[in-house]
Amino acid sequence: MEKAARKAGGKLRRDFGEIEHLQVSRKGPSDFVSKADQIAERTLWDELKVARPGWGFLMEEGGEIPGEDGMPRFVIDPLDGTSNFLHGIPHFAISIAAQEPTLDGKGWGEVTAAVVYQPITDETFWAEKSRGAWLHDGRLRVSSRSRMSDALVATGMPYQGHGNFAEWTRIYGALGPQVAGIRRFGAASLDLAWVAAGRYDGFWESDLAPWDTAAGCLLVREAGGFVTDFRGRSQPVCDTQVLAANDGLHSKLHKELAAALK
């Protein structure tokens, strides 16, 4: 998974260098970014289908490609942070997760491996079920902060045609006065990786997709944190609603979110 991410990441890094020139063109960079996204996804698919024949895929661009019965699947976002990439902001990532089928074969269960790769900083966040979370060869642990007043929390904000502004505003109004700061950097996979690394103390967002969060959920859990929906329910992949934090803050954040949504 890391080998595939690094191969695709090298192409994204090269294409990112062209964005500055495309910003001033009449056509603009949107079509170019779409092609960069597709090329990165095809690179990941080519690499991973050779490494794990018979596995399925769930990809942001390519959709679901079933594998053989009873085999796991890769859940892939080839370019998380597309808007950042489009505007020449060096904050985006490749996210890959390996997900097992449920025992009855009718759905998808736990995530067993994860990679979030940031091509610009060359950081590889990775985790394996029951083996911990890592940044390169260094073990990751969520932060130890337990007071809301010390907490730096990340979020994803609604934007044109996406998300519930009223709901987000209620949550922000509840949390904002209590925490040390709230950040919105625009790449959920990296937000979750940074919670795992202790850079953020918590993260919330809604209306995401499995490829946005599958890898990040495992990273946080393997680093000692908790990931649930806004009501405190844990799932293998939290995407419609995701609340991630260390063990000292998760219950406090969950209480505020739940109250704000009543």
Side-chain angles (χ1 to χ4, degrees):
M1 290 166 64
E2 181 179 4
K3 179 182 176 183
R6 286 184 169 275
K7 187 169 183 179
K11 295 180 180 181
L12 286 179
R13 191 162 50 242
R14 177 200 63 201
D15 290 340
F16 184 73
E18 299 296 321
I19 289 294
E20 182 178 359
H21 303 294
L22 291 167
Q23 291 288 356
V24 297
S25 69
R26 179 175 297 178
K27 188 175 182 180
S30 298
D31 290 341
F32 177 83
V33 172
S34 178
K35 290 178 181 177
D37 202 330
Q38 293 167 5
I39 290 170
E41 185 170 277
R42 181 55 188 255
T43 300
L44 295 170
W45 185 68
D46 285 343
E47 289 289 315
L48 292 170
K49 73 176 181 178
V50 172
R52 293 292 184 271
W55 284 34
F57 288 81
L58 178 64
M59 302 182 287
E60 182 180 20
E61 303 299 327
E64 187 169 8
I65 301 174
E68 297 175 6
D69 288 346
M71 297 295 280
R73 69 177 180 179
F74 290 111
V75 183
I76 294 172
D77 190 339
L79 178 52
D80 183 25
T82 304
S83 292
N84 286 342
F85 191 98
L86 174 67
H87 289 86
I89 298 171
H91 189 81
F92 53 89
I94 293 168
S95 178
I96 309 171
Q99 188 176 25
E100 299 291 328
T102 55
L103 293 177
D104 62 10
K106 296 181 180 180
W108 294 98
E110 66 177 3
V111 174
T112 55
V115 167
V116 174
Y117 178 58
Q118 217 290 35
I120 300 302
T121 60
D122 194 33
E123 290 180 308
T124 302
F125 301 87
W126 63 277
E128 290 186 17
K129 182 72 174 178
S130 302
R131 291 188 61 192
W134 307 77
L135 173 55
H136 303 302
D137 59 354
R139 187 72 179 261
L140 294 180
R141 293 295 299 176
V142 293
S143 74
S144 59
R145 298 181 187 90
S146 60
R147 295 190 301 182
M148 293 279 280
S149 59
D150 293 334
L152 184 64
V153 181
T155 187
M157 295 169 60
Y159 54 92
Q160 185 179 25
H162 182 88
N164 186 324
F165 282 90
E167 176 186 276
W168 186 88
T169 300
R170 290 198 301 273
I171 295 172
Y172 180 83
L175 292 183
Q178 300 189 57
V179 298
I182 295 177
R183 300 289 184 267
R184 197 277 193 184
F185 281 3
S189 62
L190 278 176
D191 288 334
L192 288 164
W194 285 16
V195 172
R199 299 176 186 178
Y200 291 141
D201 304 299
F203 167 74
W204 93 90
E205 190 169 354
S206 58
D207 297 312
L208 293 168
W211 47 78
D212 295 314
T213 63
C217 286
L218 183 65
L219 281 166
V220 172
R221 287 166 173 152
E222 287 297 311
F226 291 87
V227 186
T228 67
D229 65 12
F230 293 172
R231 303 297 179 185
R233 297 169 295 197
S234 181
Q235 304 167 41
V237 177
C238 295
D239 51 7
T240 304
Q241 296 177 340
V242 54
L243 170 62
N246 66 34
D247 55 348
L249 285 169
H250 186 276
S251 62
K252 297 175 183 178
L253 292 169
H254 163 234
K255 180 180 178 181
E256 295 298 330
L257 264 67
L261 297 178
K262 284 183 179 178

